[in-house]
Each structure stands twice: as C-alpha cells, then as structure tokens.
Amino acid sequence: LRTLIALALLAAIAFVATALLRIPVVSFLKYEPKDIVIAIAGFIFGPLPALGMTVVVALIECFTISHTGLWGLLMNVSASASFVLPAAILYKKRRTIGGAVTGLVFGGILAVVMMLLWNLLVTPIYLGYPRSAVADMLLPVFLPFNLLKCSINALLTILLYKPVSRALQASHLVEKSGGTSPGKKRNMIPAITGILLAIVIAATIIFSLLSK
C-alpha cells in the first residue's frame, strides 16, 4: 500500500510537471521534465514499477493535455521507457553513483536512437509533414533536441534522486532499503523488463520498415 501511494504521488508529480513545465525549444518540440520523476521512481522501486508509471502518466496525458492521439501515446511511452528502463535495470544491479550514471547514459543513448526512428515514422502521420521534410530535420533538429533533453534529464535525476528518496523515507512511504524484493523475484525483474524493452524496440523497427 505504501509503495502504491508513493508511486501514485510520483506519477501525479510527473503529470503536473508535464502539464505546467512544457518549455518550447525549437519548432513544435517542447521539453518537459516528467522523465526525471519516472527515472527517480525507477531507482527507488525498480524497473517494472517505473514502466507501469510510464504507461499511466502517458495515458493521463493522452486523454487530457495531449492532441497527438494514439501515436503521441506510443511515442511518449517509447521515449520514457527507453530512457528510464536501462537506467533502472543497471542501477538495480549496481546501486552506486557509477551504476546510476552508466544506466542514465545508456538510457539516454537508447532514447535518442528510438526517438529518431519514431520521429521519422510517426511525425509525418500526425503533423501532416512530408516524410522527406521530416528526414531533413533529423540531424539538425531532432538529434540535438533529444540529446539536450536526455542530458538535462540525466543530470537532474542524479541531483534529485537522493533528496526525493530521503523525503519518501522520512514520510515512511518507502523503506531505507528502497523497497526491493528479495530472492527470485529480484532476479526476474531485469529479465522481464528487458523483454518488454526488446518488444518496444522491435515494434519501432518493424513499424519503421513497414512505413517505407
């Protein structure tokens, strides 16, 4: 129950951050800090709760403040999952600052690659842009935007993780161990999450090939 309350609280913060802190960067691209909150949840509770939180926040966003429909929902889930899950998995294996940084770097790289593929596939559909025009924007627009976004998210996740974790511990919403479960369940979580992440990547590649 405490874990559900903490996750619900963090999901609410992530949504409010998305709704109130959308910062226009270039063209139609906007930065929002929700992945920071989801990544912190992944560090505290593990990859599967972070994945569930990713889907819940994206669904709420889809039916409230977003105008991109199902495609926008898929892009949101893919972008956040690509960034958060590798970080949560690697940090769960090595709970050190080095493990956190390594996970965030790997997650940032994967998220950038995934979003370039999704932008090439989906942006022409829901914005009505010619695919050739979107392709011309990949390197000068989408690549630097996503690199900047992931870099900011990674840096702020590192800076805010410990204070948020200590605040949740002080409120008795999480245990000092971070709420990890022992035994075989702990060993299964990275494998299950890796399979889910592989499915997301495979779906992106398949949709990209079918759209050509």
Side-chain angles (χ1 to χ4, degrees):
L1 179 61
R2 288 185 301 176
T3 298
L4 289 176
I5 293 173
L7 286 170
L9 175 63
L10 291 173
I13 293 173
F15 173 72
V16 170
T18 301
L20 300 182
L21 299 177
R22 284 187 164 185
I23 304 172
V25 178
V26 59
S27 185
F28 55 87
L29 299 174
K30 297 180 181 180
Y31 170 80
E32 74 275 342
K34 68 178 179 182
D35 287 350
I36 300 169
V37 183
I38 300 175
I40 291 173
F43 282 175
I44 297 173
F45 298 105
L48 282 183
L51 178 61
M53 185 173 160
T54 296
V55 175
V56 168
V57 174
L59 281 170
I60 296 173
E61 181 182 347
C62 178
F63 290 106
T64 54
I65 60 176
S66 176
H67 304 288
T68 56
L70 179 60
W71 288 115
L73 172 64
L74 291 174
M75 289 184 70
N76 273 335
V77 172
S78 178
S80 294
S82 300
F83 177 74
V84 170
L85 294 186
I89 291 171
L90 291 177
Y91 185 68
K92 190 173 183 66
K93 289 181 174 292
R94 188 163 61 126
R95 300 185 72 87
T96 63
I97 185 65
V101 171
T102 301
L104 288 168
V105 169
F106 182 75
I109 294 172
L110 181 59
V112 169
V113 173
M114 291 289 288
M115 290 316 297
L116 289 179
L117 290 172
W118 273 107
N119 283 131
L120 183 61
L121 166 67
V122 177
T123 301
I125 296 175
Y126 73 81
L127 286 183
Y129 286 11
R131 195 171 302 278
S132 58
V134 175
D136 291 337
M137 297 170 64
L138 288 180
L139 294 182
V141 178
F142 291 114
L143 178 60
F145 169 77
N146 285 296
L147 285 172
L148 176 64
K149 176 181 177 180
C150 290
S151 298
I152 293 173
N153 287 343
L155 177 61
L156 291 180
T157 298
I158 291 294
L159 293 176
L160 295 176
Y161 164 57
K162 286 298 183 181
V164 172
S165 179
R166 283 194 289 265
L168 291 175
Q169 290 171 12
S171 61
H172 304 291
L173 290 176
V174 297
E175 299 176 357
K176 290 187 177 182
S177 62
T180 58
S181 56
K184 294 182 179 179
K185 290 183 179 180
R186 181 184 301 177
N187 295 329
M188 289 174 62
I189 288 177
I192 295 172
T193 309
I195 292 172
L196 293 173
L197 183 58
I199 292 173
V200 172
I201 296 173
T204 300
I205 295 173
I206 291 171
F207 280 132
S208 298
L209 293 174
L210 290 176
S211 66
K212 292 183 179 179

mmCIF file of all heavy atoms in Angstrom, residues 5 10 28 30 32 34 37 55-57 69 84 116 124 145 153 165 170 186-187 203 205-206 209:
data_model
loop_
_atom_site.group_PDB
_atom_site.id
_atom_site.type_symbol
_atom_site.label_atom_id
_atom_site.label_comp_id
_atom_site.label_asym_id
_atom_site.label_seq_id
_atom_site.Cartn_x
_atom_site.Cartn_y
_atom_site.Cartn_z
ATOM 1 N N ILE A 5 1.006 4.158 -2.881
ATOM 2 C CA ILE A 5 0.797 5.580 -2.569
ATOM 3 C C ILE A 5 1.973 6.409 -3.071
ATOM 4 O O ILE A 5 1.793 7.475 -3.679
ATOM 5 C CB ILE A 5 0.606 5.771 -1.046
ATOM 6 C CG1 ILE A 5 -0.702 5.132 -0.599
ATOM 7 C CG2 ILE A 5 0.628 7.264 -0.693
ATOM 8 C CD1 ILE A 5 -0.894 5.124 0.907
ATOM 9 N N LEU A 10 4.293 10.136 -7.095
ATOM 10 C CA LEU A 10 5.298 10.470 -8.098
ATOM 11 C C LEU A 10 4.673 10.587 -9.486
ATOM 12 O O LEU A 10 5.075 11.443 -10.282
ATOM 13 C CB LEU A 10 6.405 9.415 -8.097
ATOM 14 C CG LEU A 10 7.296 9.399 -6.847
ATOM 15 C CD1 LEU A 10 8.241 8.205 -6.882
ATOM 16 C CD2 LEU A 10 8.094 10.698 -6.737
ATOM 17 N N PHE A 28 8.058 22.624 -33.206
ATOM 18 C CA PHE A 28 6.956 22.130 -32.388
ATOM 19 C C PHE A 28 7.447 21.300 -31.206
ATOM 20 O O PHE A 28 6.640 20.745 -30.460
ATOM 21 C CB PHE A 28 6.004 21.277 -33.238
ATOM 22 C CG PHE A 28 6.705 20.139 -33.943
ATOM 23 C CD1 PHE A 28 6.886 18.923 -33.327
ATOM 24 C CD2 PHE A 28 7.184 20.315 -35.235
ATOM 25 C CE1 PHE A 28 7.541 17.896 -33.971
ATOM 26 C CE2 PHE A 28 7.838 19.285 -35.891
ATOM 27 C CZ PHE A 28 8.013 18.069 -35.256
ATOM 28 N N LYS A 30 8.884 20.454 -27.581
ATOM 29 C CA LYS A 30 8.845 21.047 -26.248
ATOM 30 C C LYS A 30 9.511 20.106 -25.245
ATOM 31 O O LYS A 30 9.398 18.888 -25.354
ATOM 32 C CB LYS A 30 7.401 21.303 -25.819
ATOM 33 C CG LYS A 30 6.671 22.316 -26.699
ATOM 34 C CD LYS A 30 5.240 22.512 -26.222
ATOM 35 C CE LYS A 30 4.515 23.511 -27.112
ATOM 36 N NZ LYS A 30 3.101 23.709 -26.663
ATOM 37 N N GLU A 32 9.710 18.676 -21.450
ATOM 38 C CA GLU A 32 9.017 18.549 -20.181
ATOM 39 C C GLU A 32 9.797 17.575 -19.299
ATOM 40 O O GLU A 32 10.394 16.621 -19.808
ATOM 41 C CB GLU A 32 7.569 18.094 -20.353
ATOM 42 C CG GLU A 32 7.388 16.646 -20.721
ATOM 43 C CD GLU A 32 7.487 16.403 -22.214
ATOM 44 O OE1 GLU A 32 7.347 17.375 -22.977
ATOM 45 O OE2 GLU A 32 7.716 15.236 -22.605
ATOM 46 N N LYS A 34 9.068 15.216 -17.068
ATOM 47 C CA LYS A 34 8.429 14.063 -16.420
ATOM 48 C C LYS A 34 9.366 12.856 -16.316
ATOM 49 O O LYS A 34 9.267 12.075 -15.356
ATOM 50 C CB LYS A 34 7.158 13.660 -17.174
ATOM 51 C CG LYS A 34 7.401 13.080 -18.557
ATOM 52 C CD LYS A 34 6.096 12.663 -19.200
ATOM 53 C CE LYS A 34 6.348 12.112 -20.601
ATOM 54 N NZ LYS A 34 5.092 11.742 -21.275
ATOM 55 N N VAL A 37 11.189 12.422 -12.981
ATOM 56 C CA VAL A 37 10.412 11.843 -11.889
ATOM 57 C C VAL A 37 10.289 10.332 -12.071
ATOM 58 O O VAL A 37 10.421 9.559 -11.112
ATOM 59 C CB VAL A 37 9.016 12.496 -11.821
ATOM 60 C CG1 VAL A 37 8.238 11.957 -10.633
ATOM 61 C CG2 VAL A 37 9.129 14.012 -11.741
ATOM 62 N N VAL A 55 3.474 4.209 -18.405
ATOM 63 C CA VAL A 55 2.235 3.990 -19.156
ATOM 64 C C VAL A 55 1.089 4.805 -18.561
ATOM 65 O O VAL A 55 0.315 5.441 -19.296
ATOM 66 C CB VAL A 55 1.888 2.492 -19.179
ATOM 67 C CG1 VAL A 55 0.540 2.270 -19.861
ATOM 68 C CG2 VAL A 55 2.964 1.698 -19.896
ATOM 69 N N VAL A 56 0.976 4.819 -17.249
ATOM 70 C CA VAL A 56 -0.115 5.549 -16.596
ATOM 71 C C VAL A 56 -0.032 7.044 -16.889
ATOM 72 O O VAL A 56 -1.029 7.675 -17.260
ATOM 73 C CB VAL A 56 -0.091 5.290 -15.069
ATOM 74 C CG1 VAL A 56 -1.025 6.257 -14.344
ATOM 75 C CG2 VAL A 56 -0.487 3.849 -14.776
ATOM 76 N N VAL A 57 1.154 7.628 -16.730
ATOM 77 C CA VAL A 57 1.311 9.065 -16.974
ATOM 78 C C VAL A 57 1.032 9.387 -18.436
ATOM 79 O O VAL A 57 0.363 10.387 -18.753
ATOM 80 C CB VAL A 57 2.725 9.529 -16.574
ATOM 81 C CG1 VAL A 57 2.941 10.992 -16.975
ATOM 82 C CG2 VAL A 57 2.929 9.366 -15.078
ATOM 83 N N GLY A 69 -3.025 12.067 -29.967
ATOM 84 C CA GLY A 69 -3.737 10.810 -30.057
ATOM 85 C C GLY A 69 -2.891 9.588 -29.738
ATOM 86 O O GLY A 69 -1.945 9.642 -28.952
ATOM 87 N N VAL A 84 14.251 5.387 -19.165
ATOM 88 C CA VAL A 84 14.148 5.013 -17.759
ATOM 89 C C VAL A 84 14.555 3.567 -17.500
ATOM 90 O O VAL A 84 15.274 3.281 -16.528
ATOM 91 C CB VAL A 84 12.707 5.261 -17.262
ATOM 92 C CG1 VAL A 84 12.498 4.653 -15.889
ATOM 93 C CG2 VAL A 84 12.415 6.757 -17.244
ATOM 94 N N LEU A 116 14.585 9.157 -32.787
ATOM 95 C CA LEU A 116 14.860 9.461 -34.201
ATOM 96 C C LEU A 116 14.046 8.540 -35.101
ATOM 97 O O LEU A 116 13.471 8.976 -36.107
ATOM 98 C CB LEU A 116 16.352 9.314 -34.488
ATOM 99 C CG LEU A 116 17.266 10.381 -33.892
ATOM 100 C CD1 LEU A 116 18.723 10.087 -34.244
ATOM 101 C CD2 LEU A 116 16.892 11.779 -34.382
ATOM 102 N N PRO A 124 5.365 12.474 -39.605
ATOM 103 C CA PRO A 124 4.618 12.779 -40.837
ATOM 104 C C PRO A 124 3.149 12.416 -40.760
ATOM 105 O O PRO A 124 2.320 13.038 -41.432
ATOM 106 C CB PRO A 124 5.329 11.918 -41.897
ATOM 107 C CG PRO A 124 6.675 11.664 -41.345
ATOM 108 C CD PRO A 124 6.487 11.562 -39.856
ATOM 109 N N PHE A 145 17.916 18.191 -30.157
ATOM 110 C CA PHE A 145 16.851 18.349 -29.159
ATOM 111 C C PHE A 145 16.822 17.173 -28.198
ATOM 112 O O PHE A 145 16.775 17.348 -26.969
ATOM 113 C CB PHE A 145 15.488 18.497 -29.837
ATOM 114 C CG PHE A 145 14.326 18.399 -28.878
ATOM 115 C CD1 PHE A 145 13.996 19.474 -28.059
ATOM 116 C CD2 PHE A 145 13.579 17.227 -28.773
ATOM 117 C CE1 PHE A 145 12.940 19.382 -27.161
ATOM 118 C CE2 PHE A 145 12.525 17.132 -27.877
ATOM 119 C CZ PHE A 145 12.198 18.212 -27.068
ATOM 120 N N ASN A 153 17.715 15.587 -18.355
ATOM 121 C CA ASN A 153 17.015 14.610 -17.521
ATOM 122 C C ASN A 153 17.988 13.778 -16.691
ATOM 123 O O ASN A 153 17.752 13.513 -15.513
ATOM 124 C CB ASN A 153 16.162 13.697 -18.394
ATOM 125 C CG ASN A 153 14.928 14.395 -18.938
ATOM 126 O OD1 ASN A 153 14.529 15.445 -18.451
ATOM 127 N ND2 ASN A 153 14.324 13.818 -19.958
ATOM 128 N N SER A 165 14.414 10.468 -2.478
ATOM 129 C CA SER A 165 14.411 9.191 -1.758
ATOM 130 C C SER A 165 14.365 9.418 -0.249
ATOM 131 O O SER A 165 13.602 8.748 0.475
ATOM 132 C CB SER A 165 15.661 8.379 -2.136
ATOM 133 O OG SER A 165 15.696 7.157 -1.432
ATOM 134 N N ALA A 170 11.493 9.604 4.931
ATOM 135 C CA ALA A 170 11.060 10.369 6.108
ATOM 136 C C ALA A 170 9.545 10.319 6.287
ATOM 137 O O ALA A 170 9.051 10.381 7.414
ATOM 138 C CB ALA A 170 11.533 11.815 5.981
ATOM 139 N N ARG A 186 13.562 -10.737 -7.351
ATOM 140 C CA ARG A 186 14.528 -9.697 -7.690
ATOM 141 C C ARG A 186 15.283 -10.066 -8.962
ATOM 142 O O ARG A 186 15.571 -9.221 -9.804
ATOM 143 C CB ARG A 186 15.498 -9.499 -6.531
ATOM 144 C CG ARG A 186 16.523 -8.416 -6.782
ATOM 145 C CD ARG A 186 17.521 -8.325 -5.648
ATOM 146 N NE ARG A 186 16.872 -8.044 -4.391
ATOM 147 C CZ ARG A 186 17.542 -7.973 -3.235
ATOM 148 N NH1 ARG A 186 18.838 -8.198 -3.194
ATOM 149 N NH2 ARG A 186 16.895 -7.697 -2.132
ATOM 150 N N ASN A 187 15.619 -11.333 -9.114
ATOM 151 C CA ASN A 187 16.363 -11.765 -10.286
ATOM 152 C C ASN A 187 15.510 -11.751 -11.544
ATOM 153 O O ASN A 187 16.018 -11.629 -12.652
ATOM 154 C CB ASN A 187 16.913 -13.181 -10.056
ATOM 155 C CG ASN A 187 17.930 -13.222 -8.937
ATOM 156 O OD1 ASN A 187 18.637 -12.248 -8.721
ATOM 157 N ND2 ASN A 187 17.984 -14.334 -8.217
ATOM 158 N N ALA A 203 9.156 -3.360 -32.071
ATOM 159 C CA ALA A 203 7.984 -2.735 -32.676
ATOM 160 C C ALA A 203 8.367 -1.472 -33.436
ATOM 161 O O ALA A 203 7.857 -1.197 -34.535
ATOM 162 C CB ALA A 203 6.951 -2.408 -31.594
ATOM 163 N N ILE A 205 11.289 -0.787 -34.865
ATOM 164 C CA ILE A 205 11.990 -1.156 -36.095
ATOM 165 C C ILE A 205 11.019 -1.687 -37.137
ATOM 166 O O ILE A 205 11.086 -1.330 -38.326
ATOM 167 C CB ILE A 205 13.076 -2.206 -35.788
ATOM 168 C CG1 ILE A 205 14.155 -1.590 -34.889
ATOM 169 C CG2 ILE A 205 13.705 -2.737 -37.076
ATOM 170 C CD1 ILE A 205 15.175 -2.588 -34.393
ATOM 171 N N ILE A 206 10.071 -2.538 -36.708
ATOM 172 C CA ILE A 206 9.105 -3.102 -37.652
ATOM 173 C C ILE A 206 8.240 -2.015 -38.268
ATOM 174 O O ILE A 206 8.027 -1.971 -39.482
ATOM 175 C CB ILE A 206 8.230 -4.155 -36.939
ATOM 176 C CG1 ILE A 206 9.073 -5.390 -36.594
ATOM 177 C CG2 ILE A 206 7.051 -4.564 -37.825
ATOM 178 C CD1 ILE A 206 8.358 -6.380 -35.708
ATOM 179 N N LEU A 209 10.216 -0.086 -40.837
ATOM 180 C CA LEU A 209 10.370 -0.807 -42.109
ATOM 181 C C LEU A 209 9.058 -0.824 -42.904
ATOM 182 O O LEU A 209 9.068 -0.659 -44.133
ATOM 183 C CB LEU A 209 10.824 -2.247 -41.835
ATOM 184 C CG LEU A 209 12.222 -2.400 -41.243
ATOM 185 C CD1 LEU A 209 12.511 -3.852 -40.888
ATOM 186 C CD2 LEU A 209 13.282 -1.877 -42.228
#
